[in-house]
Amino acid sequence: MLAGLIEADLGVAFADLGDEMVYRIVSTEVDVEAGTVTESWDDRDVVGLVGTVRDEGIEKAAEQTRGAKLQVLVRSEELPEDCPALTDRVIVRGEEYAIEEFRYMSEGGLFDLAVRRR
């Protein structure tokens, strides 16, 4: 019964508050001899719940570089079986974000993605 309530509430939330976005599956090919790295990608249209944008400094850059961070919830059924991956990205409202971390939320079947604007 609880699972049914959670699914019903999520259905309403995604229908009313969900944002259309692109989930970008990124593949990288390295040519050692030429010293090049080539990216290719496969874009999937998904609907997600997008949290508030937070603008936080990047510690590795001594707080000199800033990048907006977001939290995005995506239903696992919308993603291919081997996703998400830390090489993948999401495009939200025209901005591309790199996935920094993710976790699976079994109740609701959601992936919680922590992403940073590239």
Side-chain angles (χ1 to χ4, degrees):
M1 183 171 161
L2 179 60
L5 289 172
I6 291 170
E7 184 60 33
D9 287 345
L10 284 173
V12 170
F14 275 86
D16 291 348
L17 304 172
D19 279 320
E20 291 184 11
M21 61 186 66
V22 174
Y23 187 88
R24 178 166 283 171
I25 303 161
V26 179
S27 301
T28 305
E29 186 176 315
V30 178
D31 184 338
V32 177
E33 290 181 22
T36 59
V37 177
T38 306
E39 280 189 347
S40 60
W41 53 82
D42 178 17
D43 288 349
R44 308 283 174 102
D45 292 328
V46 298
V47 174
L49 296 174
V50 180
T52 305
V53 175
R54 297 184 325 259
D55 197 24
E56 298 181 1
I58 300 171
E59 290 182 35
K60 293 180 183 176
E63 299 290 333
Q64 294 179 5
T65 303
R66 300 188 67 79
K69 288 184 81 170
L70 303 171
Q71 177 183 11
V72 178
L73 298 176
V74 178
R75 290 179 177 226
S76 60
E77 66 217 26
E78 290 207 55
L79 301 178
E81 191 172 312
D82 57 346
C83 292
L86 295 177
T87 55
D88 295 345
R89 302 180 191 132
V90 292
I91 300 171
V92 179
R93 301 176 190 133
E95 298 282 343
E96 187 175 49
Y97 293 81
I99 297 174
E100 289 191 327
E101 60 183 281
F102 61 87
R103 70 184 174 99
Y104 179 69
M105 301 166 59
S106 59
E107 292 202 16
L110 301 173
F111 278 107
D112 179 2
L113 310 176
V115 299
R116 182 179 295 274
R117 186 172 29 214
R118 290 177 38 92

